[in-house]
């Protein structure tokens, strides 16, 4: 890869120092007289911007605000913060923190523990008494969880800083492995992965070393309003056609460039090239030693200025004016793609799902704008406006015309639905999956269905549907539950390989499903759920053929 025609400096820094270096580069540009609005910080994914946004807020430097406190509710961040709260005070355990952490990593014990929890304040001693009342298998699993909490508490008591605590949560306790399993179910890097989120949290730990202050400090800074006249913070996919005099590209590491979920390195190389060609005068690339992106090595081999080692704040320096800016290399490809796609207005099913049609403009999680390229039998292809074509499963979340929705059946499948009803037709061909994209992937050679497990899964589904106020078929189709009851997956990776279990459902329901399966494998002759919940009352079942909609 050739460097851009503008001066490019590569900054190789120690682990955890990327944000401080980025802040120093911005400070040097401002000290040299640059207007904040003439500086941009670009990243592969939005979560990589989190430490820089917080650091700029801390330093009182105006900036745009692509992230807000809602980022703290993302699975990896939310669970890590819950573990921190538990480790900080095991005498005042919040029930929601217990439930959040109990199955990440999966311990397959929650359903056994929940009925035994008292309705009063929870303490570690209370939970140890709960452990005494469990069966030997569940007791071993739950005691392991309590040991993890005590270990974390001991680290904090002995003065561990935030970075050490988060490393304990991610590595020793196993949250990193748990979120990696969730990420493995995703085939494309559309938006930040859970692993990206934990990386960002670890960067933040170097800015706030006191674990007891991290959450409040972070929330306060994320509430600082954005300033359009400040430093621009954006992902590469959001800046097509835009340029700034000064650009800083952050997160130039393996795992981000190329992204850990990407399959096409050439497409990733193109995204990186778009990032470094958004500048008019200077571009700085920040990478951590030990995991420098191969794209950076290509740049330095081609003659970019390479600055290894840490540089004290205020010494990043300025560079000579550029001879010329580089044009956007994605324009031709996107323009050609755009000409082949008609602009189609969005239509929705009665249940609010999008009628997935080629040409509909959509926004994917993470702020990636694009248009539906095709609605295949087992996936939706979306061409991003600045980036690759990504594939998502039916049911994946999407925003259309500022309306939150999900990818629903395309027009052909939609025509088979009842008028005014989001449930599929009772036509056996559609119900069996020949025309229903959500049933694609069911293998005729799958193991035979374990009927007792299948009924337990249906009882669980009925409970979820009742709690959330949705029809049971929205939770899972019968045929998908049958496949799960045949395969009996024991890990999130195996569960994610089952048809109908996309990333969203894996994250939402994976732990519960694995726990039901584990209970069944431990004792296949025992009913797993409330016997009073009759699956025959499940309104998801079509009386003609017993297949879900």
């Amino acid at each position: 890869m050739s460097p851009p025609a503008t001066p490019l400096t590569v900054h190789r820094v120690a682990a955890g120092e990327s944000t401080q270096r980025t802040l120093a580069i911005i400070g040097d540009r401002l000290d040299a007289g640059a207007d904040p609005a003439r500086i941009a910080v670009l990243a592969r994914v939005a979560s990589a911007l989190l430490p820089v946004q917080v650091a700029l807020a801390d330093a009182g430097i105006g900036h745009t605000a692509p992230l807000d406190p809602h980022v703290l509710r993302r699975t990896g961040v939310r669970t890590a913060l819950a573990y921190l709260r538990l480790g900080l005070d095991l005498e005042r355990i919040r029930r929601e923190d217990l439930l959040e952490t109990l199955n990440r990593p999966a311990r397959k014990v929650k359903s056994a523990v929940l009925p035994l929890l008292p309705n009063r304040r929870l303490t570690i001693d209370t939970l140890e008494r709960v452990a005494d009342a469990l069966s030997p298998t569940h007791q071993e699993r739950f005691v392991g969880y309590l040991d993890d909490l005590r270990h974390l508490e001991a680290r904090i008591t002995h003065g561990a800083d935030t970075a050490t605590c988060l490393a304990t949560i991610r590595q020793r306790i196993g949250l990193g492995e748990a979120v990696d399993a969730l990420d493995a179910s995703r085939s494309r890097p559309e938006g930040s992965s859970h692993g990206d989120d934990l990386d960002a949290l670890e960067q933040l730990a170097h800015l706030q070393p006191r674990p007891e202050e991290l959450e409040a400090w972070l929330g306060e800074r994320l509430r600082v309003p954005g300033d359009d006249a400040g430093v621009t913070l954006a992902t590469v996919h959001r800046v097509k056609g835009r340029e700034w005099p000064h650009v800083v590209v952050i997160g130039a590491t393996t795992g981000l460039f190329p992204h850990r979920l990407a399959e096409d390195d050439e497409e990733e190389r193109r995204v990186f090239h778009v990032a470094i060609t958004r500048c008019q005068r200077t571009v700085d690339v920040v990478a951590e030693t030990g995991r420098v992106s191969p794209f950076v090595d290509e740049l330095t081999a081609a003659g970019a200025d390479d600055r290894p080692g840490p540089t004290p704040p205020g010494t990043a320096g300025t560079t000579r004016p550029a001879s010329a800016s580089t044009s956007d290399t994605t324009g031709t490809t996107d323009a050609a793609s755009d000409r082949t796609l008609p602009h189609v207005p969005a239509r929705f099913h009665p249940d609010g799902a999008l009628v997935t049609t080629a040409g509909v403009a959509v926004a994917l999680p993470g702020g990636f704008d694009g248009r539906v390229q095709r609605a295949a039998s087992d996936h939706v292809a979306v061409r991003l406006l600045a980036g690759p074509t990504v594939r998502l499963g039916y049911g994946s979340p999407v925003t259309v015309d500022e309306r939150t929705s999900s990818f629903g059946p395309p027009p052909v499948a939609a025509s088979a639905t009842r008028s005014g009803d989001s449930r599929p037709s009772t036509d056996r061909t559609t119900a069996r999956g020949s025309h229903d994209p959500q049933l694609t992937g069911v293998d005729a050679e799958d193991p035979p269905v374990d009927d007792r497990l299948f009924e337990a899964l249906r009882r669980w589904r009925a409970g979820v549907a009742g709690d959330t106020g949705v029809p049971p078929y929205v939770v899972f189709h019968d045929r998908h539950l049958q496949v799960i009851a045949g395969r009996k997956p024991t890990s999130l990776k195996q569960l994610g390989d089952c048809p109908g279990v996309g990333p969203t459902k894996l994250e939402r329901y994976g732990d519960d499903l694995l726990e039901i399966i584990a209970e069944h494998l431990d004792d296949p002759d025992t009913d797993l759920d409330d016997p009073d919940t009759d699956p025959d009352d499940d309104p998801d079942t079509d009386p003609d053929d017993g297949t879900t909609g």
Side-chain angles (χ1 to χ4, degrees):
M1 180 187 295
S2 298
T6 53
L8 185 150
T9 302
V10 175
H11 304 258
R12 299 174 188 254
V13 300
E17 294 183 1
S18 294
T19 302
Q20 293 95 322
R21 176 64 67 88
T22 302
L23 202 63
I25 295 169
I26 293 171
D28 283 351
R29 299 288 176 256
L30 295 174
D31 290 344
D35 187 273
R38 297 170 67 81
I39 303 171
V41 178
L42 305 182
R44 176 64 179 82
V45 295
S47 63
L49 296 167
L50 177 61
V52 177
Q53 180 175 328
V54 170
L56 289 173
D58 218 24
I61 298 174
H63 59 279
T64 62
L67 301 167
D68 61 27
H70 286 93
V71 72
L72 304 183
R73 300 305 302 160
R74 284 180 56 84
T75 300
V77 176
R78 185 180 71 231
T79 307
L81 293 177
Y83 267 118
L84 265 186
R85 288 191 295 268
L86 290 170
L88 286 165
D89 192 353
L90 288 178
E91 296 306 312
R92 292 177 178 81
I93 293 175
R94 294 165 51 175
R95 185 178 297 263
E96 55 268 32
D97 289 342
L98 174 68
L99 301 181
E100 180 67 45
T101 57
L102 191 52
N103 267 348
R104 288 195 176 92
R107 296 179 176 86
K108 304 168 187 175
V109 72
K110 187 167 69 174
S111 65
V113 169
L114 279 179
L116 301 178
L117 292 178
N119 291 324
R120 60 180 183 276
R121 189 184 76 187
L122 298 177
T123 67
I124 190 67
D125 292 337
T126 304
L127 297 183
E128 287 177 343
R129 288 193 291 272
V130 169
D132 292 338
L134 295 170
S135 68
T137 299
H138 288 137
Q139 185 178 81
E140 180 181 0
R141 296 170 184 166
F142 192 52
V143 167
Y145 168 73
L146 299 181
D147 287 345
D148 285 340
L149 297 185
R150 284 201 178 279
H151 178 82
L152 179 59
E153 179 194 41
R155 298 302 298 268
I156 294 173
T157 300
H158 288 88
D161 61 12
T162 305
T164 301
C165 292
L166 291 177
T168 298
I169 293 167
R170 187 172 192 171
Q171 298 165 19
R172 184 194 186 278
I173 294 178
L175 179 59
E177 182 179 346
V179 300
D180 287 346
L182 290 175
D183 286 339
S185 70
R186 302 170 57 183
S187 59
R188 295 292 187 275
E190 62 277 0
S192 304
S193 72
H194 300 300
D196 298 335
D197 294 342
L198 291 186
D199 287 346
L201 203 58
E202 289 179 348
Q203 285 284 335
L204 284 163
H206 294 276
L207 304 178
Q208 175 49 269
R210 297 176 62 84
E212 67 274 17
E213 296 181 10
L214 175 67
E215 186 171 5
W217 171 82
L218 185 53
E220 179 182 341
R221 279 143 187 82
L222 284 172
R223 285 189 288 272
V224 173
D227 180 2
D228 290 339
V231 175
T232 297
L233 306 180
T235 60
V236 181
H237 289 99
R238 303 288 288 183
V239 298
K240 180 191 172 207
R242 300 181 63 188
E243 291 182 344
W244 293 263
H246 308 287
V247 168
V248 184
V249 179
I250 63 172
T253 61
T254 55
L256 287 177
F257 284 112
H259 195 276
R260 55 172 63 88
L261 301 183
E263 296 177 353
D264 187 344
D265 279 0
E266 284 305 313
E267 198 67 65
E268 291 293 292
R269 182 177 283 105
R270 188 170 67 85
V271 173
F272 184 70
H273 191 262
V274 170
I276 63 175
T277 56
R278 296 305 88 211
C279 60
Q280 296 168 339
R281 291 183 56 194
T282 65
V283 56
D284 293 85
V285 176
V286 181
E288 287 191 357
T289 55
R291 56 190 198 112
V292 177
S293 165
F295 304 154
V296 171
D297 291 332
E298 294 170 6
L299 283 174
T300 54
D305 180 17
D306 194 1
R307 298 188 181 183
T311 300
T315 61
T318 58
T319 52
R320 67 189 181 280
S323 58
S325 63
T326 304
S327 62
D328 187 346
T329 61
T330 65
T332 302
T333 301
D334 288 338
S337 173
D338 197 58
R339 285 196 298 270
T340 62
L341 285 175
H343 287 272
V344 176
R347 294 185 297 123
F348 298 89
H349 293 287
D351 64 356
L354 175 69
V355 177
T356 304
T357 310
V360 173
V362 297
L364 305 182
F368 294 148
D369 295 326
R371 288 204 291 146
V372 176
Q373 190 172 53
R374 67 181 178 277
S377 61
D378 60 345
H379 70 272
V380 180
V382 176
R383 177 71 190 185
L384 300 180
L385 296 185
T389 297
V390 298
R391 300 201 314 172
L392 302 98
Y394 286 92
S396 298
V398 65
T399 301
V400 184
D401 297 334
E402 300 185 355
R403 172 176 174 174
T404 301
S405 184
S406 61
F407 287 112
V412 172
S415 65
T417 60
R418 297 188 183 106
S419 175
D421 190 346
S422 60
R423 292 177 56 190
S425 163
T426 57
D427 175 85
R428 286 175 176 270
T429 304
T430 300
R432 293 295 181 192
S434 298
H435 304 304
D436 187 344
Q438 299 211 36
L439 296 184
T440 300
V442 174
D443 190 343
E445 302 302 319
D446 269 316
V449 177
D450 184 317
D451 290 334
R452 292 183 66 83
L453 178 55
F454 174 56
E455 293 307 315
L457 293 172
R458 293 189 70 218
R459 284 192 291 270
W460 165 83
R461 181 184 63 184
V464 171
D467 290 342
T468 56
V470 300
Y473 70 82
V474 172
V475 181
F476 276 108
H477 291 265
D478 260 350
R479 186 67 186 103
H480 290 154
L481 293 183
Q482 289 171 339
V483 173
I484 293 171
R487 295 185 187 181
K488 301 184 181 71
T490 58
S491 69
L492 287 173
K493 176 64 173 66
Q494 293 175 358
L495 182 60
D497 290 338
C498 294
V501 187
T504 300
K505 290 189 177 181
L506 187 67
E507 181 177 340
R508 187 176 298 162
Y509 305 128
D511 294 335
D512 289 342
L513 290 171
L514 290 178
E515 188 169 350
I516 292 170
I517 294 166
E519 292 287 323
H520 178 77
L521 293 177
D522 287 343
D523 190 357
D525 296 324
T526 301
D527 287 333
L528 302 180
D529 279 312
D530 184 358
D532 294 333
T533 305
D534 186 354
D536 290 334
D537 292 336
D538 187 341
D540 184 45
T541 302
D542 190 295
D544 291 336
D545 64 5
T547 304
T548 31

